[in-house]
Structures are given as structure tokens and as C-alpha cells.
Amino acid sequence: MTGLDLSALVPVIEELILLDTVRFTTPAGTPVFNPDTGQYETPPGDIIYEGPGAVQIAGTVGGVTSLPAPTLPWVDETRSKYKALTPLAAPIAERDTIVTVVAVHPGGDLSLLGRQWRAQDPSTGGTLGVIRMTTLDQIQQTRES
């Protein structure tokens, strides 16, 4: 008995879903405050992948990693559950890889441009995969004034 072969579906799925361009970079150190933008920015690291991809909400509700309390020295941080989709040929993203949307397809969501996420775990793999999935947490950024 032969196993299920999904290789014929790979080009179809890639053409239908991987419409935007995503960039995966290695983290290059601690974020640095940019006074021109008023945001903390991570210095650019090495690009390990730039090509077709998609970033989607993971379909589950995010959470809060700590409870807010006025006596604590930190602010509560939300967890945003997203996933990056890339071709199987893309390299496996290691934990803390920075994922950025650098181009969107015509009619796509322009608010994704420049947004960044951090890989929570190495990219997933499976015996019946047709695309690579990487779990992400959005890097919190301040709003533009």
C-alpha cells in the first residue's frame, strides 16, 4: 500500500495562498530606540529567507503573559497568535527569527507592510505538509501620532 502523495498540490496551494512577500531575519541584538520614529527597532540581522509567503491570525485568541498590577515594575504584554506560511523549500525558522511583511499582493492588506513578528518556535514540519508553518507573536509597536 502506498502512502498519500500531496506533492501535486504544492504548486496549487502556493499559488493560491503565498501571495505576499515575507522576510525572515536572524535577531541581531537588543532593540534600540529610534528618536525619529519614537519606536524601539531591532538592528537588522542576516536575511535567511525572502520570498513568497503569508501571515495569518492563528485562529485562536491571544492572551496576556502577566496580570497588570500597579505595584509591579512592568506592563502586561499581550501574546498575538499568528502564523507565517512559506513554501516547503524555505528554510526552517529558528526561535526568535524576525518575520516582516515587505510586500503585499494587489488588493492585499497594506497595514501588514513593515509589521514584524517573532518566531515562537522552530517552523513546523510534517509527513503530509504542503506548506511550512511558523508560529509567531507580533512584536508590539507604538502607534503613529
Side-chain angles (χ1 to χ4, degrees):
M1 183 164 161
T2 61
L4 184 59
D5 181 7
L6 300 177
S7 61
L9 293 176
V10 171
V12 175
I13 298 298
E14 288 180 359
E15 186 176 319
L16 290 173
I17 295 175
L18 306 180
L19 304 177
D20 297 333
T21 303
V22 296
R23 179 183 298 145
F24 284 29
T25 56
T26 58
T30 57
V32 177
F33 183 73
N34 181 339
D36 295 331
T37 63
Q39 297 184 15
Y40 282 92
E41 298 173 355
T42 303
D46 295 329
I47 297 174
I48 58 173
Y49 173 75
E50 184 168 328
V55 173
Q56 299 291 317
I57 192 79
T60 58
V61 179
V64 176
T65 58
S66 65
L67 297 174
T71 58
L72 296 177
W74 63 83
V75 178
D76 59 320
E77 181 73 22
T78 60
R79 290 276 176 164
S80 307
K81 296 184 178 186
Y82 286 83
K83 58 186 171 185
L85 308 174
T86 54
L88 289 175
I92 292 176
E94 298 297 327
R95 180 180 172 89
D96 294 328
T97 296
I98 305 297
V99 178
T100 308
V101 175
V102 295
V104 296
H105 65 285
D109 186 355
L110 295 176
S111 73
L112 291 174
L113 287 173
R115 287 172 69 179
Q116 294 185 319
W117 292 263
R118 181 172 284 111
Q120 295 178 316
D121 293 305
S123 301
T124 60
T127 56
L128 295 177
V130 292
I131 56 174
R132 187 172 313 288
M133 287 188 274
T134 305
T135 57
L136 305 174
D137 180 31
Q138 184 170 277
I139 296 172
Q140 302 297 317
Q141 299 174 349
T142 59
R143 292 183 184 266
E144 297 286 330
S145 53

Short mmCIF file of all heavy atoms in Angstrom, two decimals, residues 42-108:
data_model
loop_
_atom_site.label_atom_id
_atom_site.label_comp_id
_atom_site.label_asym_id
_atom_site.label_seq_id
_atom_site.Cartn_x
_atom_site.Cartn_y
_atom_site.Cartn_z
N THR A 42 14.74 46.74 16.18
CA THR A 42 15.77 45.71 16.26
C THR A 42 16.76 45.93 15.13
O THR A 42 16.34 46.10 13.98
CB THR A 42 15.13 44.31 16.14
OG1 THR A 42 14.16 44.15 17.16
CG2 THR A 42 16.18 43.22 16.26
N PRO A 43 18.06 45.98 15.41
CA PRO A 43 19.03 46.14 14.33
C PRO A 43 18.86 45.02 13.31
O PRO A 43 18.54 43.89 13.68
CB PRO A 43 20.39 46.03 15.04
CG PRO A 43 20.09 46.31 16.47
CD PRO A 43 18.69 45.86 16.71
N PRO A 44 19.06 45.33 12.04
CA PRO A 44 18.85 44.29 11.03
C PRO A 44 19.85 43.15 11.18
O PRO A 44 21.03 43.37 11.45
CB PRO A 44 19.06 45.01 9.70
CG PRO A 44 19.75 46.28 10.03
CD PRO A 44 19.47 46.59 11.46
N GLY A 45 19.34 41.94 11.04
CA GLY A 45 20.20 40.76 11.10
C GLY A 45 20.40 40.20 9.71
O GLY A 45 20.10 40.86 8.71
N ASP A 46 20.87 38.99 9.63
CA ASP A 46 21.07 38.33 8.34
C ASP A 46 19.73 37.84 7.81
O ASP A 46 18.93 37.25 8.54
CB ASP A 46 22.02 37.14 8.49
CG ASP A 46 23.42 37.58 8.88
OD1 ASP A 46 23.83 38.70 8.50
OD2 ASP A 46 24.10 36.81 9.60
N ILE A 47 19.50 38.06 6.53
CA ILE A 47 18.28 37.56 5.89
C ILE A 47 18.48 36.08 5.59
O ILE A 47 19.45 35.71 4.91
CB ILE A 47 17.97 38.34 4.59
CG1 ILE A 47 17.70 39.80 4.91
CG2 ILE A 47 16.79 37.71 3.85
CD1 ILE A 47 17.54 40.70 3.69
N ILE A 48 17.57 35.26 6.12
CA ILE A 48 17.67 33.82 5.85
C ILE A 48 16.64 33.37 4.81
O ILE A 48 16.77 32.31 4.23
CB ILE A 48 17.56 32.98 7.14
CG1 ILE A 48 16.26 33.25 7.86
CG2 ILE A 48 18.75 33.23 8.04
CD1 ILE A 48 16.01 32.33 9.04
N TYR A 49 15.60 34.20 4.60
CA TYR A 49 14.61 33.90 3.57
C TYR A 49 13.89 35.20 3.21
O TYR A 49 13.54 35.99 4.10
CB TYR A 49 13.59 32.88 4.06
CG TYR A 49 12.45 32.66 3.09
CD1 TYR A 49 12.65 31.92 1.93
CD2 TYR A 49 11.20 33.23 3.28
CE1 TYR A 49 11.62 31.74 1.01
CE2 TYR A 49 10.17 33.05 2.37
CZ TYR A 49 10.38 32.30 1.24
OH TYR A 49 9.36 32.13 0.33
N GLU A 50 13.69 35.42 1.93
CA GLU A 50 12.80 36.47 1.46
C GLU A 50 12.14 35.95 0.20
O GLU A 50 12.83 35.62 -0.77
CB GLU A 50 13.55 37.78 1.16
CG GLU A 50 12.59 38.89 0.77
CD GLU A 50 13.22 40.26 0.74
OE1 GLU A 50 14.14 40.53 1.53
OE2 GLU A 50 12.78 41.07 -0.09
N GLY A 51 10.83 35.85 0.25
CA GLY A 51 10.12 35.31 -0.90
C GLY A 51 8.65 35.17 -0.61
O GLY A 51 8.11 35.77 0.33
N PRO A 52 7.97 34.34 -1.40
CA PRO A 52 6.52 34.19 -1.26
C PRO A 52 6.15 33.70 0.14
O PRO A 52 6.83 32.86 0.72
CB PRO A 52 6.16 33.12 -2.30
CG PRO A 52 7.31 33.06 -3.22
CD PRO A 52 8.52 33.50 -2.46
N GLY A 53 5.07 34.25 0.65
CA GLY A 53 4.60 33.85 1.97
C GLY A 53 3.30 34.53 2.32
O GLY A 53 2.73 35.28 1.53
N ALA A 54 2.86 34.27 3.53
CA ALA A 54 1.64 34.88 4.06
C ALA A 54 1.76 34.90 5.57
O ALA A 54 2.44 34.07 6.16
CB ALA A 54 0.41 34.07 3.64
N VAL A 55 1.10 35.88 6.19
CA VAL A 55 0.99 35.93 7.64
C VAL A 55 -0.50 35.97 7.95
O VAL A 55 -1.23 36.81 7.40
CB VAL A 55 1.70 37.17 8.23
CG1 VAL A 55 1.43 37.29 9.72
CG2 VAL A 55 3.20 37.09 7.97
N GLN A 56 -0.94 35.06 8.78
CA GLN A 56 -2.35 34.94 9.12
C GLN A 56 -2.52 34.84 10.62
O GLN A 56 -1.65 34.33 11.32
CB GLN A 56 -2.95 33.67 8.48
CG GLN A 56 -2.89 33.64 6.98
CD GLN A 56 -3.82 34.66 6.36
OE1 GLN A 56 -4.95 34.82 6.78
NE2 GLN A 56 -3.33 35.37 5.37
N ILE A 57 -3.68 35.29 11.11
CA ILE A 57 -4.03 35.08 12.51
C ILE A 57 -4.16 33.57 12.71
O ILE A 57 -4.62 32.87 11.81
CB ILE A 57 -5.31 35.84 12.90
CG1 ILE A 57 -5.53 35.87 14.40
CG2 ILE A 57 -6.53 35.29 12.22
CD1 ILE A 57 -4.68 36.87 15.11
N ALA A 58 -3.74 33.08 13.84
CA ALA A 58 -3.72 31.64 14.06
C ALA A 58 -5.10 31.05 14.33
O ALA A 58 -5.24 29.84 14.44
CB ALA A 58 -2.78 31.29 15.21
N GLY A 59 -6.11 31.88 14.45
CA GLY A 59 -7.46 31.37 14.66
C GLY A 59 -7.82 31.17 16.12
O GLY A 59 -8.89 30.69 16.43
N THR A 60 -6.91 31.52 17.01
CA THR A 60 -7.20 31.42 18.43
C THR A 60 -6.98 32.77 19.08
O THR A 60 -6.23 33.60 18.57
CB THR A 60 -6.29 30.38 19.12
OG1 THR A 60 -4.93 30.74 18.91
CG2 THR A 60 -6.54 28.98 18.58
N VAL A 61 -7.59 32.99 20.18
CA VAL A 61 -7.49 34.26 20.89
C VAL A 61 -6.13 34.36 21.55
O VAL A 61 -5.61 33.39 22.09
CB VAL A 61 -8.61 34.36 21.94
CG1 VAL A 61 -8.51 35.66 22.72
CG2 VAL A 61 -9.96 34.22 21.27
N GLY A 62 -5.55 35.56 21.52
CA GLY A 62 -4.28 35.79 22.20
C GLY A 62 -4.49 35.82 23.70
O GLY A 62 -5.59 35.61 24.20
N GLY A 63 -3.46 36.13 24.42
CA GLY A 63 -3.57 36.16 25.87
C GLY A 63 -2.67 37.23 26.45
O GLY A 63 -2.02 37.98 25.74
N VAL A 64 -2.66 37.29 27.75
CA VAL A 64 -1.80 38.23 28.48
C VAL A 64 -0.81 37.41 29.27
O VAL A 64 -1.17 36.45 29.93
CB VAL A 64 -2.65 39.13 29.41
CG1 VAL A 64 -1.76 40.05 30.23
CG2 VAL A 64 -3.65 39.94 28.60
N THR A 65 0.48 37.77 29.18
CA THR A 65 1.50 36.97 29.84
C THR A 65 1.69 37.31 31.31
O THR A 65 2.34 36.58 32.02
CB THR A 65 2.85 37.12 29.12
OG1 THR A 65 3.21 38.50 29.12
CG2 THR A 65 2.77 36.60 27.71
N SER A 66 1.15 38.43 31.77
CA SER A 66 1.21 38.75 33.18
C SER A 66 -0.02 39.58 33.54
O SER A 66 -0.61 40.22 32.69
CB SER A 66 2.48 39.53 33.52
OG SER A 66 2.47 40.78 32.88
N LEU A 67 -0.39 39.54 34.78
CA LEU A 67 -1.54 40.32 35.22
C LEU A 67 -1.09 41.72 35.60
O LEU A 67 -0.09 41.88 36.31
CB LEU A 67 -2.22 39.64 36.42
CG LEU A 67 -2.81 38.27 36.12
CD1 LEU A 67 -3.32 37.64 37.41
CD2 LEU A 67 -3.93 38.39 35.11
N PRO A 68 -1.81 42.74 35.13
CA PRO A 68 -1.39 44.11 35.48
C PRO A 68 -1.62 44.39 36.96
O PRO A 68 -2.63 44.02 37.53
CB PRO A 68 -2.28 44.98 34.60
CG PRO A 68 -3.47 44.14 34.28
CD PRO A 68 -3.00 42.71 34.31
N ALA A 69 -0.63 45.02 37.54
CA ALA A 69 -0.74 45.42 38.95
C ALA A 69 0.06 46.71 39.12
O ALA A 69 1.18 46.80 38.61
CB ALA A 69 -0.22 44.33 39.86
N PRO A 70 -0.48 47.69 39.84
CA PRO A 70 0.22 48.96 39.97
C PRO A 70 1.53 48.87 40.74
O PRO A 70 2.36 49.75 40.65
CB PRO A 70 -0.79 49.85 40.71
CG PRO A 70 -1.74 48.93 41.36
CD PRO A 70 -1.76 47.67 40.53
N THR A 71 1.74 47.79 41.48
CA THR A 71 2.97 47.67 42.27
C THR A 71 4.09 46.94 41.52
O THR A 71 5.19 46.82 42.05
CB THR A 71 2.68 46.91 43.58
OG1 THR A 71 2.14 45.63 43.24
CG2 THR A 71 1.71 47.69 44.44
N LEU A 72 3.82 46.45 40.32
CA LEU A 72 4.83 45.71 39.57
C LEU A 72 5.60 46.65 38.65
O LEU A 72 5.03 47.60 38.11
CB LEU A 72 4.17 44.60 38.76
CG LEU A 72 3.49 43.51 39.58
CD1 LEU A 72 2.83 42.50 38.66
CD2 LEU A 72 4.51 42.81 40.47
N PRO A 73 6.88 46.38 38.42
CA PRO A 73 7.70 47.28 37.61
C PRO A 73 7.57 47.06 36.10
O PRO A 73 8.35 47.60 35.34
CB PRO A 73 9.12 46.95 38.06
CG PRO A 73 9.04 45.53 38.47
CD PRO A 73 7.66 45.34 39.06
N TRP A 74 6.64 46.26 35.64
CA TRP A 74 6.48 46.03 34.20
C TRP A 74 5.01 46.17 33.81
O TRP A 74 4.12 46.12 34.63
CB TRP A 74 7.01 44.66 33.79
CG TRP A 74 6.27 43.53 34.43
CD1 TRP A 74 5.10 42.98 34.02
CD2 TRP A 74 6.64 42.81 35.61
NE1 TRP A 74 4.70 41.97 34.86
CE2 TRP A 74 5.64 41.84 35.85
CE3 TRP A 74 7.71 42.89 36.48
CZ2 TRP A 74 5.69 40.97 36.92
CZ3 TRP A 74 7.74 42.02 37.53
CH2 TRP A 74 6.75 41.07 37.74
N VAL A 75 4.81 46.33 32.54
CA VAL A 75 3.46 46.43 31.98
C VAL A 75 3.10 45.07 31.40
O VAL A 75 3.97 44.38 30.86
CB VAL A 75 3.43 47.50 30.87
CG1 VAL A 75 2.06 47.59 30.24
CG2 VAL A 75 3.85 48.84 31.44
N ASP A 76 1.84 44.71 31.50
CA ASP A 76 1.43 43.43 30.92
C ASP A 76 1.65 43.44 29.40
O ASP A 76 1.52 44.46 28.76
CB ASP A 76 -0.03 43.12 31.25
CG ASP A 76 -0.98 44.19 30.75
OD1 ASP A 76 -0.66 45.38 30.84
OD2 ASP A 76 -2.06 43.82 30.25
N GLU A 77 2.02 42.32 28.86
CA GLU A 77 2.31 42.18 27.44
C GLU A 77 1.37 41.13 26.86
O GLU A 77 1.24 40.04 27.38
CB GLU A 77 3.76 41.73 27.26
CG GLU A 77 4.20 41.57 25.84
CD GLU A 77 4.40 42.89 25.12
OE1 GLU A 77 4.60 43.91 25.79
OE2 GLU A 77 4.33 42.90 23.89
N THR A 78 0.71 41.49 25.77
CA THR A 78 -0.19 40.54 25.15
C THR A 78 0.58 39.59 24.26
O THR A 78 1.68 39.89 23.81
CB THR A 78 -1.26 41.27 24.29
OG1 THR A 78 -0.57 42.02 23.29
CG2 THR A 78 -2.12 42.17 25.13
N ARG A 79 0.00 38.45 24.01
CA ARG A 79 0.54 37.49 23.05
C ARG A 79 -0.41 37.49 21.87
O ARG A 79 -1.61 37.32 22.02
CB ARG A 79 0.60 36.08 23.64
CG ARG A 79 1.63 35.90 24.70
CD ARG A 79 2.94 35.62 24.06
NE ARG A 79 3.96 35.56 25.10
CZ ARG A 79 5.13 35.04 24.91
NH1 ARG A 79 5.44 34.55 23.76
NH2 ARG A 79 6.01 35.04 25.87
N SER A 80 0.12 37.72 20.68
CA SER A 80 -0.67 37.74 19.47
C SER A 80 -0.37 36.47 18.69
O SER A 80 0.76 36.27 18.26
CB SER A 80 -0.32 38.97 18.62
OG SER A 80 -0.43 40.14 19.39
N LYS A 81 -1.35 35.63 18.54
CA LYS A 81 -1.12 34.33 17.91
C LYS A 81 -1.31 34.43 16.39
O LYS A 81 -2.43 34.55 15.91
CB LYS A 81 -2.03 33.28 18.51
CG LYS A 81 -1.73 33.06 19.98
CD LYS A 81 -2.55 31.95 20.56
CE LYS A 81 -2.18 31.74 22.01
NZ LYS A 81 -2.84 30.59 22.57
N TYR A 82 -0.20 34.40 15.69
CA TYR A 82 -0.18 34.44 14.23
C TYR A 82 0.61 33.25 13.73
O TYR A 82 1.29 32.57 14.49
CB TYR A 82 0.51 35.72 13.73
CG TYR A 82 -0.32 36.96 13.87
CD1 TYR A 82 -0.37 37.65 15.08
CD2 TYR A 82 -1.03 37.47 12.80
CE1 TYR A 82 -1.11 38.81 15.21
CE2 TYR A 82 -1.78 38.64 12.92
CZ TYR A 82 -1.81 39.30 14.12
OH TYR A 82 -2.55 40.45 14.25
N LYS A 83 0.56 33.03 12.42
CA LYS A 83 1.40 32.02 11.80
C LYS A 83 1.89 32.54 10.46
O LYS A 83 1.17 33.25 9.76
CB LYS A 83 0.67 30.69 11.64
CG LYS A 83 -0.59 30.76 10.82
CD LYS A 83 -1.32 29.45 10.83
CE LYS A 83 -2.70 29.64 10.19
NZ LYS A 83 -3.51 28.46 10.26
N ALA A 84 3.13 32.23 10.14
CA ALA A 84 3.70 32.54 8.84
C ALA A 84 3.61 31.28 7.99
O ALA A 84 3.87 30.18 8.47
CB ALA A 84 5.14 32.99 8.98
N LEU A 85 3.24 31.46 6.75
CA LEU A 85 3.16 30.36 5.80
C LEU A 85 4.20 30.61 4.71
O LEU A 85 4.24 31.71 4.13
CB LEU A 85 1.76 30.28 5.18
CG LEU A 85 0.60 30.25 6.17
CD1 LEU A 85 -0.73 30.32 5.44
CD2 LEU A 85 0.66 29.02 7.04
N THR A 86 5.03 29.63 4.43
CA THR A 86 6.06 29.74 3.41
C THR A 86 6.13 28.42 2.65
O THR A 86 5.61 27.40 3.11
CB THR A 86 7.44 30.05 4.04
OG1 THR A 86 7.72 29.07 5.05
CG2 THR A 86 7.47 31.45 4.65
N PRO A 87 6.80 28.42 1.49
CA PRO A 87 6.96 27.15 0.76
C PRO A 87 7.79 26.16 1.57
O PRO A 87 8.59 26.55 2.43
CB PRO A 87 7.72 27.56 -0.51
CG PRO A 87 7.62 29.03 -0.61
CD PRO A 87 7.40 29.55 0.79
N LEU A 88 7.62 24.90 1.28
CA LEU A 88 8.41 23.86 1.96
C LEU A 88 9.90 24.04 1.68
O LEU A 88 10.73 23.64 2.49
CB LEU A 88 7.96 22.47 1.52
CG LEU A 88 6.60 22.02 2.04
CD1 LEU A 88 6.22 20.67 1.43
CD2 LEU A 88 6.58 21.95 3.55
N ALA A 89 10.24 24.67 0.56
CA ALA A 89 11.65 24.88 0.21
C ALA A 89 12.29 25.98 1.07
O ALA A 89 13.51 26.08 1.10
CB ALA A 89 11.76 25.24 -1.26
N ALA A 90 11.49 26.79 1.74
CA ALA A 90 12.04 27.85 2.60
C ALA A 90 12.75 27.21 3.79
O ALA A 90 12.36 26.15 4.26
CB ALA A 90 10.92 28.77 3.09
N PRO A 91 13.79 27.87 4.30
CA PRO A 91 14.49 27.29 5.46
C PRO A 91 13.62 27.31 6.71
O PRO A 91 12.70 28.11 6.83
CB PRO A 91 15.70 28.21 5.63
CG PRO A 91 15.34 29.48 4.95
CD PRO A 91 14.37 29.13 3.87
N ILE A 92 13.93 26.42 7.62
CA ILE A 92 13.23 26.37 8.89
C ILE A 92 13.67 27.57 9.72
O ILE A 92 14.86 27.82 9.88
CB ILE A 92 13.54 25.05 9.63
CG1 ILE A 92 12.92 23.90 8.86
CG2 ILE A 92 13.05 25.10 11.07
CD1 ILE A 92 13.23 22.54 9.42
N ALA A 93 12.70 28.33 10.19
CA ALA A 93 12.98 29.48 11.03
C ALA A 93 13.25 29.01 12.45
O ALA A 93 12.47 28.23 12.99
CB ALA A 93 11.81 30.46 11.01
N GLU A 94 14.32 29.47 13.03
CA GLU A 94 14.62 29.15 14.42
C GLU A 94 13.82 30.05 15.35
O GLU A 94 13.29 31.08 14.93
CB GLU A 94 16.11 29.32 14.69
CG GLU A 94 17.00 28.40 13.87
CD GLU A 94 16.77 26.93 14.16
OE1 GLU A 94 16.46 26.58 15.32
OE2 GLU A 94 16.89 26.12 13.24
N ARG A 95 13.75 29.70 16.61
CA ARG A 95 13.08 30.53 17.61
C ARG A 95 13.70 31.93 17.59
O ARG A 95 14.90 32.08 17.44
CB ARG A 95 13.24 29.90 18.99
CG ARG A 95 12.58 30.67 20.10
CD ARG A 95 12.79 29.96 21.44
NE ARG A 95 12.33 30.80 22.51
CZ ARG A 95 11.09 30.81 22.98
NH1 ARG A 95 10.19 30.01 22.46
NH2 ARG A 95 10.75 31.61 23.97
N ASP A 96 12.87 32.96 17.74
CA ASP A 96 13.24 34.37 17.77
C ASP A 96 13.59 34.96 16.40
O ASP A 96 14.02 36.11 16.32
CB ASP A 96 14.36 34.65 18.76
CG ASP A 96 13.93 34.41 20.20
OD1 ASP A 96 12.73 34.63 20.49
OD2 ASP A 96 14.75 33.99 21.01
N THR A 97 13.44 34.20 15.32
CA THR A 97 13.61 34.77 13.98
C THR A 97 12.59 35.89 13.81
O THR A 97 11.44 35.77 14.24
CB THR A 97 13.39 33.68 12.91
OG1 THR A 97 14.41 32.69 13.05
CG2 THR A 97 13.41 34.25 11.51
N ILE A 98 12.99 37.00 13.19
CA ILE A 98 12.10 38.13 12.96
C ILE A 98 11.47 37.97 11.59
O ILE A 98 12.17 37.79 10.58
CB ILE A 98 12.86 39.47 13.03
CG1 ILE A 98 13.61 39.61 14.36
CG2 ILE A 98 11.92 40.65 12.78
CD1 ILE A 98 12.73 39.64 15.58
N VAL A 99 10.14 38.04 11.53
CA VAL A 99 9.40 37.92 10.28
C VAL A 99 8.77 39.27 9.96
O VAL A 99 8.10 39.85 10.81
CB VAL A 99 8.30 36.83 10.39
CG1 VAL A 99 7.49 36.74 9.11
CG2 VAL A 99 8.94 35.48 10.73
N THR A 100 9.00 39.76 8.75
CA THR A 100 8.49 41.05 8.32
C THR A 100 7.77 40.88 6.99
O THR A 100 8.28 40.18 6.10
CB THR A 100 9.64 42.07 8.13
OG1 THR A 100 10.44 42.09 9.31
CG2 THR A 100 9.11 43.45 7.84
N VAL A 101 6.61 41.52 6.84
CA VAL A 101 5.94 41.55 5.55
C VAL A 101 6.52 42.72 4.77
O VAL A 101 6.44 43.86 5.21
CB VAL A 101 4.41 41.70 5.71
CG1 VAL A 101 3.74 41.84 4.35
CG2 VAL A 101 3.83 40.50 6.46
N VAL A 102 7.15 42.45 3.62
CA VAL A 102 7.81 43.50 2.86
C VAL A 102 7.05 43.89 1.59
O VAL A 102 7.34 44.93 1.00
CB VAL A 102 9.27 43.14 2.52
CG1 VAL A 102 10.09 43.03 3.80
CG2 VAL A 102 9.36 41.86 1.72
N ALA A 103 6.08 43.08 1.16
CA ALA A 103 5.25 43.43 0.00
C ALA A 103 3.94 42.66 0.12
O ALA A 103 3.92 41.52 0.59
CB ALA A 103 5.95 43.07 -1.30
N VAL A 104 2.85 43.31 -0.29
CA VAL A 104 1.55 42.64 -0.30
C VAL A 104 1.04 42.59 -1.74
O VAL A 104 1.38 43.43 -2.56
CB VAL A 104 0.51 43.34 0.61
CG1 VAL A 104 0.93 43.26 2.06
CG2 VAL A 104 0.28 44.76 0.20
N HIS A 105 0.21 41.60 -2.00
CA HIS A 105 -0.35 41.41 -3.33
C HIS A 105 -1.39 42.50 -3.62
O HIS A 105 -1.92 43.10 -2.68
CB HIS A 105 -0.96 40.02 -3.46
CG HIS A 105 -2.13 39.78 -2.57
ND1 HIS A 105 -2.00 39.57 -1.21
CD2 HIS A 105 -3.46 39.76 -2.84
CE1 HIS A 105 -3.21 39.40 -0.68
NE2 HIS A 105 -4.10 39.53 -1.64
N PRO A 106 -1.70 42.76 -4.89
CA PRO A 106 -2.74 43.75 -5.22
C PRO A 106 -4.06 43.38 -4.53
O PRO A 106 -4.50 42.24 -4.60
CB PRO A 106 -2.87 43.64 -6.74
CG PRO A 106 -1.54 43.10 -7.19
CD PRO A 106 -1.09 42.19 -6.08
N GLY A 107 -4.62 44.35 -3.84
CA GLY A 107 -5.85 44.11 -3.09
C GLY A 107 -5.61 43.55 -1.70
O GLY A 107 -6.54 43.31 -0.95
N GLY A 108 -4.33 43.37 -1.33
CA GLY A 108 -3.99 42.82 -0.02
C GLY A 108 -4.06 43.88 1.06
O GLY A 108 -4.29 45.07 0.80
#
